[in-house]
Amino acid sequence: MKIWVDADACPGVIKDVLFRAAKRCEVYCTLVANMSLHTPESDFIDCVVVKAGPDVADAHIAQNTQIGDIVVTADIPLAALVVDAGGVAINPRGELYTSQNIGARLQARNLMDQLRASGMDTGGPPPFNNKDVQSFANSLDKLLAKQVRRLPKGFHP
């Protein structure tokens, strides 16, 4: 089991939550970005730098995610790829993407893209706040506990 982070747009406070969780649970956490990011010194945390360009980080994550891995992303098309491949995706606000909700989320995202392309101002997501951080931390803790229980007996993440 590994945690992959679509790190270019991931809030710093969420990365801090992930760093603490990786160390506490001894789970590998890899940030994927198109530039080098500061990470704390740890055997469990690293950063992969990919070429700049649309969806390059997403493609790297999608190609390397394995069943049981956790992907942190606000990118719904990436989340759809992860869920379709048997991975687990969660956004920085703590919302879990599942096979039951990803289709509707993808449709809503595509509709909003079409509206923006036609010139409509659709606004954006609400500002990120402390409640979002707490929601993410709680959801991540539950996910990690659930994923660890699924590991074979004697296996260390």
Side-chain angles (χ1 to χ4, degrees):
M1 175 180 56
K2 185 172 192 171
I3 301 171
W4 293 91
V5 184
D6 184 4
D8 286 322
C10 186
V13 293
I14 296 303
K15 291 175 195 163
D16 291 339
V17 170
L18 289 161
F19 298 153
R20 287 191 302 271
K23 289 178 183 178
R24 183 182 72 247
C25 298
E26 297 185 346
V27 172
Y28 293 101
C29 178
T30 298
L31 280 66
V32 181
N34 61 17
M35 64 179 181
S36 184
L37 299 173
H38 173 73
T39 59
E41 208 160 300
S42 169
D43 291 337
F44 298 101
I45 301 166
D46 68 344
C47 180
V48 172
V49 178
V50 296
K51 289 189 246 181
D55 303 323
V56 177
D58 297 354
H60 181 86
I61 292 170
Q63 290 166 0
N64 290 284
T65 299
Q66 298 179 13
I67 293 174
D69 286 355
I70 298 170
V71 174
V72 179
T73 185
D75 187 279
I76 295 171
L78 172 58
L81 290 172
V82 170
V83 169
D84 288 347
V88 177
I90 182 174
N91 75 19
R93 294 178 190 267
E95 299 169 23
L96 188 64
Y97 299 108
T98 67
S99 56
Q100 290 79 30
N101 70 18
I102 196 64
R105 301 244 180 154
L106 200 50
Q107 286 179 341
R109 179 241 182 228
N110 292 342
L111 174 62
M112 296 304 277
D113 272 358
Q114 289 174 347
L115 293 174
R116 281 189 291 274
S118 72
M120 181 179 277
D121 180 10
T122 60
F128 200 77
N129 60 44
N130 289 337
K131 184 179 175 186
D132 295 322
V133 176
Q134 188 61 50
S135 178
F136 176 80
N138 292 340
S139 294
L140 180 65
D141 283 345
K142 288 177 191 171
L143 257 180
L144 286 170
K146 183 178 179 181
Q147 295 302 88
V148 166
R149 282 194 307 269
R150 290 181 176 173
L151 294 173
K153 190 171 177 93
F155 181 85
H156 188 274

